[in-house]
Amino acid sequence: MARIDWSLKGVEITACNCDWGCPCQFNALPTHGHCRASTAIEIERGHFGETKLDGLRFGGLFAWPKAIHQGDGEAQPFIDARANEAQRNALLAIMSGAETEPGATIFNVFAATLTRMHDPLFVPIDFTLDRKKRQGHFRIANVVEVHDEPIHNPVTGQEHVARVSLPNGFEYAEADFVSSRTETGKAAAIPLSWAAGHGHIAEVHWTGDGVVR
């Protein structure tokens, strides 16, 4: 059966509780033996079938008791309050891993590891990103706030620039690795809290066939 044609092109801000660099990015076990994360995406151009998704924001909170591939994870999606019903349904379908070649995108991979999906939140999402300065921030009132900023050399205090390319990755082609601060609020179903975890900032382009490079 033919899949629904979809595409998302935009930018992503991600934070997780691992040390800088995040072992998961290299198929190693997580720093603390478990994984907790939050990510937000701002769509520059996108569609799901005939439904346009330009300008919308979405993301989620995530947690796994061990490494991601060991499963038993949970997620709480959040979607831009500006999205209409068709756009909400489209983004939820994409996040569920539907209409995607198996293993081709981060949504499809994560979906296979989740055993609990909390009710989605339809909320205003503040999102700012400066790629040149490697600084990103997103906030949802009473839910989550994430700050990504450059890693600093502990001796000189100078900014440490780290850029990683994953030619066969299912999330991005290339990302700037940074430091993240994350805190959740009372409306979050998944508590997150760290002051200097891993973060990455990337331009992303996904379709049902995977990452466009």
Side-chain angles (χ1 to χ4, degrees), residues 52-72:
K52 297 294 184 182
L53 302 171
D54 299 9
L56 295 177
R57 299 164 179 169
F58 72 103
L61 311 177
F62 304 91
W64 292 265
K66 296 181 181 179
I68 293 173
H69 69 273
Q70 293 177 293
D72 200 24

Side-chain angles (χ1 to χ4, degrees), residues 3-65:
R3 297 194 308 266
I4 294 175
D5 175 66
W6 66 269
S7 173
L8 297 179
K9 185 175 183 179
V11 288
E12 172 190 46
I13 299 170
T14 294
C16 81
N17 65 324
C18 279
D19 287 343
W20 298 333
C22 181
C24 305
Q25 304 293 318
F26 305 97
N27 290 323
L29 296 177
T31 303
H32 307 291
H34 63 277
C35 182
R36 310 187 81 83
S38 185
T39 186
I41 297 102
E42 183 172 67
I43 304 167
E44 295 172 358
R45 297 196 310 275
H47 70 272
F48 184 81
E50 298 299 318
T51 301
K52 297 294 184 182
L53 302 171
D54 299 9
L56 295 177
R57 299 164 179 169
F58 72 103
L61 311 177
F62 304 91
W64 292 265

Side-chain angles (χ1 to χ4, degrees), residues 94-136:
I94 291 171
M95 293 182 74
S96 76
E99 307 300 335
T100 300
E101 182 72 19
T105 68
I106 190 170
F107 308 111
N108 186 272
V109 171
F110 275 15
T113 70
L114 299 174
T115 56
R116 184 178 184 186
M117 184 68 72
H118 297 275
D119 290 339
L121 302 174
F122 303 105
V123 288
I125 304 170
D126 295 330
F127 185 105
T128 57
L129 176 61
D130 189 322
R131 287 297 310 282
K132 289 184 178 179
K133 293 183 178 180
R134 299 180 300 284
Q135 294 179 345

Side-chain angles (χ1 to χ4, degrees), residues 146-191:
V146 168
H147 293 267
D148 276 3
E149 60 188 15
I151 297 166
H152 287 85
N153 184 299
V155 178
T156 67
Q158 292 182 328
E159 292 185 4
H160 176 68
V161 179
R163 186 168 295 124
V164 170
S165 172
L166 296 179
N168 299 313
F170 51 70
E171 181 182 358
Y172 54 79
E174 185 177 84
D176 289 305
F177 278 20
V178 293
S179 179
S180 70
R181 290 183 285 121
T182 304
E183 198 71 41
T184 48
K186 294 181 179 179
I190 301 172

